[in-house]
mmCIF file of all heavy atoms in Angstrom:
data_model
loop_
_atom_site.group_PDB
_atom_site.id
_atom_site.type_symbol
_atom_site.label_atom_id
_atom_site.label_comp_id
_atom_site.label_asym_id
_atom_site.label_seq_id
_atom_site.Cartn_x
_atom_site.Cartn_y
_atom_site.Cartn_z
ATOM 1 N N SER A 1 24.301 -36.578 36.340
ATOM 2 C CA SER A 1 24.532 -37.881 36.959
ATOM 3 C C SER A 1 24.789 -38.887 35.899
ATOM 4 O O SER A 1 24.226 -38.863 34.798
ATOM 5 C CB SER A 1 23.367 -38.316 37.799
ATOM 6 O OG SER A 1 23.113 -37.360 38.830
ATOM 7 N N CYS A 2 25.601 -39.929 36.212
ATOM 8 C CA CYS A 2 25.842 -41.012 35.288
ATOM 9 C C CYS A 2 25.916 -42.297 36.103
ATOM 10 O O CYS A 2 26.644 -42.357 37.098
ATOM 11 C CB CYS A 2 27.144 -40.860 34.512
ATOM 12 S SG CYS A 2 27.616 -42.234 33.491
ATOM 13 N N ALA A 3 25.186 -43.285 35.667
ATOM 14 C CA ALA A 3 25.166 -44.591 36.341
ATOM 15 C C ALA A 3 25.700 -45.638 35.343
ATOM 16 O O ALA A 3 25.228 -45.758 34.235
ATOM 17 C CB ALA A 3 23.756 -44.971 36.777
ATOM 18 N N ALA A 4 26.703 -46.366 35.772
ATOM 19 C CA ALA A 4 27.235 -47.473 35.014
ATOM 20 C C ALA A 4 26.710 -48.787 35.551
ATOM 21 O O ALA A 4 26.583 -48.981 36.750
ATOM 22 C CB ALA A 4 28.757 -47.501 35.096
ATOM 23 N N SER A 5 26.307 -49.675 34.651
ATOM 24 C CA SER A 5 25.781 -50.938 35.029
ATOM 25 C C SER A 5 26.237 -51.994 34.030
ATOM 26 O O SER A 5 26.668 -51.720 32.925
ATOM 27 C CB SER A 5 24.236 -50.917 35.042
ATOM 28 O OG SER A 5 23.697 -50.617 33.786
ATOM 29 N N GLY A 6 26.128 -53.290 34.467
ATOM 30 C CA GLY A 6 26.538 -54.387 33.650
ATOM 31 C C GLY A 6 27.625 -55.193 34.309
ATOM 32 O O GLY A 6 27.728 -55.300 35.516
ATOM 33 N N ASN A 7 28.486 -55.698 33.431
ATOM 34 C CA ASN A 7 29.585 -56.575 33.885
ATOM 35 C C ASN A 7 30.756 -55.740 34.390
ATOM 36 O O ASN A 7 31.747 -55.532 33.668
ATOM 37 C CB ASN A 7 30.019 -57.505 32.753
ATOM 38 C CG ASN A 7 31.013 -58.547 33.218
ATOM 39 O OD1 ASN A 7 31.012 -58.928 34.354
ATOM 40 N ND2 ASN A 7 31.821 -59.015 32.305
ATOM 41 N N ILE A 8 30.641 -55.189 35.622
ATOM 42 C CA ILE A 8 31.591 -54.279 36.163
ATOM 43 C C ILE A 8 32.180 -54.862 37.420
ATOM 44 O O ILE A 8 31.477 -55.139 38.383
ATOM 45 C CB ILE A 8 30.953 -52.904 36.492
ATOM 46 C CG1 ILE A 8 30.381 -52.263 35.209
ATOM 47 C CG2 ILE A 8 31.953 -51.984 37.163
ATOM 48 C CD1 ILE A 8 29.562 -51.050 35.492
ATOM 49 N N PHE A 9 33.512 -55.030 37.415
ATOM 50 C CA PHE A 9 34.208 -55.417 38.576
ATOM 51 C C PHE A 9 34.911 -54.215 39.245
ATOM 52 O O PHE A 9 35.250 -54.291 40.425
ATOM 53 C CB PHE A 9 35.280 -56.471 38.247
ATOM 54 C CG PHE A 9 34.669 -57.840 38.001
ATOM 55 C CD1 PHE A 9 34.103 -58.164 36.763
ATOM 56 C CD2 PHE A 9 34.636 -58.787 38.976
ATOM 57 C CE1 PHE A 9 33.590 -59.376 36.490
ATOM 58 C CE2 PHE A 9 34.068 -60.024 38.772
ATOM 59 C CZ PHE A 9 33.528 -60.341 37.513
ATOM 60 N N GLY A 10 35.081 -53.159 38.487
ATOM 61 C CA GLY A 10 35.599 -51.934 39.020
ATOM 62 C C GLY A 10 35.722 -50.903 37.860
ATOM 63 O O GLY A 10 35.664 -51.239 36.688
ATOM 64 N N ILE A 11 35.919 -49.627 38.258
ATOM 65 C CA ILE A 11 36.122 -48.562 37.311
ATOM 66 C C ILE A 11 37.328 -47.784 37.719
ATOM 67 O O ILE A 11 37.430 -47.354 38.850
ATOM 68 C CB ILE A 11 34.851 -47.660 37.267
ATOM 69 C CG1 ILE A 11 33.643 -48.462 36.829
ATOM 70 C CG2 ILE A 11 35.091 -46.484 36.327
ATOM 71 C CD1 ILE A 11 32.366 -47.643 36.820
ATOM 72 N N ASN A 12 38.241 -47.606 36.753
ATOM 73 C CA ASN A 12 39.419 -46.791 37.002
ATOM 74 C C ASN A 12 39.051 -45.311 36.855
ATOM 75 O O ASN A 12 38.441 -44.743 37.721
ATOM 76 C CB ASN A 12 40.532 -47.226 36.096
ATOM 77 C CG ASN A 12 40.922 -48.685 36.290
ATOM 78 O OD1 ASN A 12 40.990 -49.121 37.452
ATOM 79 N ND2 ASN A 12 41.164 -49.413 35.235
ATOM 80 N N GLY A 13 39.362 -44.704 35.734
ATOM 81 C CA GLY A 13 38.939 -43.352 35.500
ATOM 82 C C GLY A 13 37.457 -43.292 35.118
ATOM 83 O O GLY A 13 36.914 -44.157 34.432
ATOM 84 N N MET A 14 36.769 -42.227 35.575
ATOM 85 C CA MET A 14 35.387 -42.014 35.242
ATOM 86 C C MET A 14 35.121 -40.511 35.255
ATOM 87 O O MET A 14 35.684 -39.819 36.078
ATOM 88 C CB MET A 14 34.465 -42.722 36.239
ATOM 89 C CG MET A 14 33.029 -42.793 35.807
ATOM 90 S SD MET A 14 32.026 -43.822 36.952
ATOM 91 C CE MET A 14 30.491 -43.960 36.020
ATOM 92 N N GLY A 15 34.360 -40.058 34.263
ATOM 93 C CA GLY A 15 34.101 -38.622 34.231
ATOM 94 C C GLY A 15 33.258 -38.190 33.052
ATOM 95 O O GLY A 15 32.416 -38.945 32.579
ATOM 96 N N TRP A 16 33.555 -36.952 32.599
ATOM 97 C CA TRP A 16 32.698 -36.335 31.605
ATOM 98 C C TRP A 16 33.503 -35.662 30.496
ATOM 99 O O TRP A 16 34.522 -35.060 30.742
ATOM 100 C CB TRP A 16 31.886 -35.218 32.328
ATOM 101 C CG TRP A 16 30.968 -35.789 33.393
ATOM 102 C CD1 TRP A 16 31.277 -35.948 34.683
ATOM 103 C CD2 TRP A 16 29.625 -36.248 33.227
ATOM 104 N NE1 TRP A 16 30.226 -36.519 35.377
ATOM 105 C CE2 TRP A 16 29.192 -36.672 34.487
ATOM 106 C CE3 TRP A 16 28.765 -36.345 32.123
ATOM 107 C CZ2 TRP A 16 27.901 -37.195 34.697
ATOM 108 C CZ3 TRP A 16 27.498 -36.843 32.338
ATOM 109 C CH2 TRP A 16 27.088 -37.285 33.577
ATOM 110 N N TYR A 17 32.964 -35.801 29.301
ATOM 111 C CA TYR A 17 33.426 -35.095 28.127
ATOM 112 C C TYR A 17 32.232 -34.317 27.557
ATOM 113 O O TYR A 17 31.106 -34.584 27.886
ATOM 114 C CB TYR A 17 34.009 -36.057 27.077
ATOM 115 C CG TYR A 17 35.336 -36.643 27.410
ATOM 116 C CD1 TYR A 17 35.475 -37.606 28.420
ATOM 117 C CD2 TYR A 17 36.494 -36.298 26.725
ATOM 118 C CE1 TYR A 17 36.683 -38.153 28.729
ATOM 119 C CE2 TYR A 17 37.690 -36.845 27.048
ATOM 120 C CZ TYR A 17 37.760 -37.787 28.058
ATOM 121 O OH TYR A 17 39.022 -38.334 28.324
ATOM 122 N N ARG A 18 32.550 -33.377 26.684
ATOM 123 C CA ARG A 18 31.483 -32.652 26.001
ATOM 124 C C ARG A 18 31.854 -32.311 24.576
ATOM 125 O O ARG A 18 33.047 -32.260 24.257
ATOM 126 C CB ARG A 18 31.150 -31.314 26.784
ATOM 127 C CG ARG A 18 32.219 -30.288 26.750
ATOM 128 C CD ARG A 18 31.850 -29.094 27.619
ATOM 129 N NE ARG A 18 32.864 -28.068 27.577
ATOM 130 C CZ ARG A 18 32.854 -26.963 28.356
ATOM 131 N NH1 ARG A 18 31.843 -26.805 29.250
ATOM 132 N NH2 ARG A 18 33.811 -26.065 28.233
ATOM 133 N N GLN A 19 30.825 -32.141 23.775
ATOM 134 C CA GLN A 19 31.042 -31.806 22.369
ATOM 135 C C GLN A 19 29.898 -30.949 21.883
ATOM 136 O O GLN A 19 28.722 -31.253 22.018
ATOM 137 C CB GLN A 19 31.107 -33.070 21.510
ATOM 138 C CG GLN A 19 31.488 -32.788 20.081
ATOM 139 C CD GLN A 19 31.789 -34.051 19.331
ATOM 140 O OE1 GLN A 19 31.311 -35.109 19.643
ATOM 141 N NE2 GLN A 19 32.582 -33.944 18.245
ATOM 142 N N ALA A 20 30.288 -29.792 21.331
ATOM 143 C CA ALA A 20 29.320 -28.901 20.675
ATOM 144 C C ALA A 20 29.321 -29.178 19.175
ATOM 145 O O ALA A 20 30.278 -29.687 18.605
ATOM 146 C CB ALA A 20 29.683 -27.434 20.968
ATOM 147 N N PRO A 21 28.213 -28.864 18.460
ATOM 148 C CA PRO A 21 28.146 -29.094 17.022
ATOM 149 C C PRO A 21 29.329 -28.390 16.296
ATOM 150 O O PRO A 21 29.614 -27.209 16.554
ATOM 151 C CB PRO A 21 26.846 -28.498 16.630
ATOM 152 C CG PRO A 21 25.999 -28.570 17.864
ATOM 153 C CD PRO A 21 26.961 -28.344 18.973
ATOM 154 N N GLY A 22 29.992 -29.133 15.476
ATOM 155 C CA GLY A 22 31.141 -28.586 14.737
ATOM 156 C C GLY A 22 32.414 -28.449 15.525
ATOM 157 O O GLY A 22 33.420 -27.947 14.998
ATOM 158 N N LYS A 23 32.427 -28.913 16.759
ATOM 159 C CA LYS A 23 33.603 -28.806 17.638
ATOM 160 C C LYS A 23 34.138 -30.147 18.006
ATOM 161 O O LYS A 23 33.413 -31.182 17.870
ATOM 162 C CB LYS A 23 33.252 -28.001 18.901
ATOM 163 C CG LYS A 23 32.697 -26.599 18.669
ATOM 164 C CD LYS A 23 33.736 -25.715 18.103
ATOM 165 C CE LYS A 23 33.215 -24.269 18.020
ATOM 166 N NZ LYS A 23 34.216 -23.339 17.511
ATOM 167 N N GLU A 24 35.386 -30.187 18.369
ATOM 168 C CA GLU A 24 35.958 -31.428 18.857
ATOM 169 C C GLU A 24 35.452 -31.755 20.261
ATOM 170 O O GLU A 24 35.185 -30.891 21.046
ATOM 171 C CB GLU A 24 37.495 -31.308 18.897
ATOM 172 C CG GLU A 24 38.133 -31.104 17.554
ATOM 173 C CD GLU A 24 38.169 -32.369 16.714
ATOM 174 O OE1 GLU A 24 38.087 -33.453 17.320
ATOM 175 O OE2 GLU A 24 38.197 -32.285 15.505
ATOM 176 N N ARG A 25 35.391 -33.030 20.527
ATOM 177 C CA ARG A 25 35.084 -33.488 21.864
ATOM 178 C C ARG A 25 36.210 -33.146 22.794
ATOM 179 O O ARG A 25 37.385 -33.282 22.454
ATOM 180 C CB ARG A 25 34.829 -34.985 21.886
ATOM 181 C CG ARG A 25 34.423 -35.559 23.202
ATOM 182 C CD ARG A 25 34.164 -37.024 23.185
ATOM 183 N NE ARG A 25 35.384 -37.791 22.861
ATOM 184 C CZ ARG A 25 35.407 -39.103 22.636
ATOM 185 N NH1 ARG A 25 34.275 -39.814 22.677
ATOM 186 N NH2 ARG A 25 36.542 -39.666 22.394
ATOM 187 N N GLU A 26 35.881 -32.624 23.964
ATOM 188 C CA GLU A 26 36.888 -32.217 24.927
ATOM 189 C C GLU A 26 36.608 -32.835 26.317
ATOM 190 O O GLU A 26 35.454 -32.993 26.697
ATOM 191 C CB GLU A 26 37.002 -30.710 25.016
ATOM 192 C CG GLU A 26 35.779 -30.024 25.542
ATOM 193 C CD GLU A 26 35.961 -28.529 25.789
ATOM 194 O OE1 GLU A 26 37.102 -28.094 25.909
ATOM 195 O OE2 GLU A 26 34.929 -27.842 25.884
ATOM 196 N N LEU A 27 37.669 -33.062 27.013
ATOM 197 C CA LEU A 27 37.529 -33.496 28.398
ATOM 198 C C LEU A 27 37.048 -32.317 29.251
ATOM 199 O O LEU A 27 37.541 -31.231 29.162
ATOM 200 C CB LEU A 27 38.907 -33.976 28.930
ATOM 201 C CG LEU A 27 38.931 -34.554 30.335
ATOM 202 C CD1 LEU A 27 39.984 -35.676 30.456
ATOM 203 C CD2 LEU A 27 39.259 -33.477 31.364
ATOM 204 N N VAL A 28 36.073 -32.638 30.073
ATOM 205 C CA VAL A 28 35.552 -31.698 31.056
ATOM 206 C C VAL A 28 36.150 -31.965 32.450
ATOM 207 O O VAL A 28 36.772 -31.056 33.058
ATOM 208 C CB VAL A 28 34.013 -31.739 31.131
ATOM 209 C CG1 VAL A 28 33.531 -30.735 32.169
ATOM 210 C CG2 VAL A 28 33.444 -31.430 29.768
ATOM 211 N N ALA A 29 35.943 -33.149 32.897
ATOM 212 C CA ALA A 29 36.490 -33.542 34.210
ATOM 213 C C ALA A 29 36.538 -35.048 34.331
ATOM 214 O O ALA A 29 35.594 -35.746 33.877
ATOM 215 C CB ALA A 29 35.618 -32.945 35.345
ATOM 216 N N VAL A 30 37.545 -35.588 34.949
ATOM 217 C CA VAL A 30 37.653 -36.994 35.208
ATOM 218 C C VAL A 30 38.175 -37.227 36.634
ATOM 219 O O VAL A 30 38.873 -36.330 37.209
ATOM 220 C CB VAL A 30 38.575 -37.750 34.217
ATOM 221 C CG1 VAL A 30 37.977 -37.727 32.834
ATOM 222 C CG2 VAL A 30 39.996 -37.174 34.201
ATOM 223 N N MET A 31 37.891 -38.354 37.190
ATOM 224 C CA MET A 31 38.386 -38.722 38.484
ATOM 225 C C MET A 31 38.834 -40.184 38.448
ATOM 226 O O MET A 31 38.128 -41.038 37.917
ATOM 227 C CB MET A 31 37.322 -38.527 39.581
ATOM 228 C CG MET A 31 37.841 -38.914 40.979
ATOM 229 S SD MET A 31 36.568 -38.705 42.281
ATOM 230 C CE MET A 31 36.526 -36.923 42.403
ATOM 231 N N THR A 32 39.997 -40.468 39.005
ATOM 232 C CA THR A 32 40.483 -41.804 39.099
ATOM 233 C C THR A 32 39.779 -42.521 40.263
ATOM 234 O O THR A 32 39.114 -41.899 41.094
ATOM 235 C CB THR A 32 41.990 -41.851 39.314
ATOM 236 O OG1 THR A 32 42.322 -41.358 40.595
ATOM 237 C CG2 THR A 32 42.710 -41.011 38.257
ATOM 238 N N ASN A 33 40.020 -43.842 40.341
ATOM 239 C CA ASN A 33 39.442 -44.565 41.484
ATOM 240 C C ASN A 33 40.110 -44.229 42.741
ATOM 241 O O ASN A 33 39.603 -44.601 43.838
ATOM 242 C CB ASN A 33 39.488 -46.072 41.206
ATOM 243 C CG ASN A 33 40.907 -46.603 40.936
ATOM 244 O OD1 ASN A 33 41.876 -45.873 40.954
ATOM 245 N ND2 ASN A 33 41.010 -47.894 40.711
ATOM 246 N N GLY A 34 41.268 -43.538 42.666
ATOM 247 C CA GLY A 34 41.916 -43.058 43.872
ATOM 248 C C GLY A 34 41.529 -41.662 44.278
ATOM 249 O O GLY A 34 42.037 -41.141 45.285
ATOM 250 N N GLY A 35 40.681 -40.991 43.511
ATOM 251 C CA GLY A 35 40.161 -39.699 43.862
ATOM 252 C C GLY A 35 40.876 -38.512 43.214
ATOM 253 O O GLY A 35 40.554 -37.351 43.487
ATOM 254 N N ARG A 36 41.931 -38.783 42.401
ATOM 255 C CA ARG A 36 42.579 -37.702 41.712
ATOM 256 C C ARG A 36 41.677 -37.155 40.600
ATOM 257 O O ARG A 36 41.015 -37.926 39.903
ATOM 258 C CB ARG A 36 43.909 -38.162 41.156
ATOM 259 C CG ARG A 36 44.914 -38.543 42.250
ATOM 260 C CD ARG A 36 46.269 -38.946 41.643
ATOM 261 N NE ARG A 36 46.911 -37.851 40.938
ATOM 262 C CZ ARG A 36 47.721 -36.975 41.502
ATOM 263 N NH1 ARG A 36 48.064 -37.108 42.771
ATOM 264 N NH2 ARG A 36 48.258 -36.016 40.760
ATOM 265 N N THR A 37 41.725 -35.885 40.387
ATOM 266 C CA THR A 37 40.871 -35.245 39.391
ATOM 267 C C THR A 37 41.630 -34.478 38.383
ATOM 268 O O THR A 37 42.793 -34.054 38.605
ATOM 269 C CB THR A 37 39.868 -34.246 40.073
ATOM 270 O OG1 THR A 37 40.582 -33.265 40.801
ATOM 271 C CG2 THR A 37 38.963 -35.003 41.028
ATOM 272 N N ASN A 38 41.066 -34.293 37.215
ATOM 273 C CA ASN A 38 41.603 -33.513 36.152
ATOM 274 C C ASN A 38 40.437 -32.736 35.522
ATOM 275 O O ASN A 38 39.474 -33.326 35.095
ATOM 276 C CB ASN A 38 42.285 -34.363 35.120
ATOM 277 C CG ASN A 38 42.996 -33.557 34.068
ATOM 278 O OD1 ASN A 38 43.391 -32.429 34.272
ATOM 279 N ND2 ASN A 38 43.198 -34.155 32.869
ATOM 280 N N TYR A 39 40.574 -31.410 35.448
ATOM 281 C CA TYR A 39 39.551 -30.532 34.895
ATOM 282 C C TYR A 39 40.062 -29.778 33.693
ATOM 283 O O TYR A 39 41.246 -29.397 33.596
ATOM 284 C CB TYR A 39 39.104 -29.504 35.924
ATOM 285 C CG TYR A 39 38.306 -30.046 37.107
ATOM 286 C CD1 TYR A 39 38.959 -30.341 38.274
ATOM 287 C CD2 TYR A 39 36.936 -30.175 37.042
ATOM 288 C CE1 TYR A 39 38.276 -30.844 39.356
ATOM 289 C CE2 TYR A 39 36.229 -30.638 38.111
ATOM 290 C CZ TYR A 39 36.926 -30.950 39.282
ATOM 291 O OH TYR A 39 36.203 -31.415 40.366
ATOM 292 N N ALA A 40 39.188 -29.521 32.759
ATOM 293 C CA ALA A 40 39.495 -28.535 31.711
ATOM 294 C C ALA A 40 39.739 -27.158 32.312
ATOM 295 O O ALA A 40 39.022 -26.794 33.282
ATOM 296 C CB ALA A 40 38.386 -28.503 30.657
ATOM 297 N N ASP A 41 40.691 -26.434 31.815
ATOM 298 C CA ASP A 41 40.936 -25.112 32.348
ATOM 299 C C ASP A 41 39.691 -24.215 32.295
ATOM 300 O O ASP A 41 39.502 -23.399 33.197
ATOM 301 C CB ASP A 41 42.032 -24.418 31.546
ATOM 302 C CG ASP A 41 43.415 -25.047 31.819
ATOM 303 O OD1 ASP A 41 43.569 -25.714 32.866
ATOM 304 O OD2 ASP A 41 44.323 -24.834 31.012
#
C-alpha cells in the first residue's frame, strides 16, 4: 500500500518501481488517473 499526502490537487500516474542491490530500478506497475495500466512483463 502507498498513501500520498500533502499539497495534492490530483495525481496523474501512480504506481510502483523496484530495485534489487546492484540492479537498475525498474517499473513494476503504474496506473493513470484514467485507469490505464502498464506492467513489467
Side-chain angles (χ1 to χ4, degrees):
S1 300
C2 174
S5 62
N7 188 27
I8 299 172
F9 287 81
I11 299 177
N12 299 320
M14 194 174 189
W16 299 90
Y17 288 71
R18 68 185 181 187
Q19 186 171 25
K23 302 292 185 179
E24 294 287 336
R25 183 178 65 186
E26 65 173 341
L27 183 148
V28 179
V30 294
M31 180 181 286
T32 70
N33 58 0
R36 296 181 64 90
T37 59
N38 186 25
Y39 292 93
D41 288 341

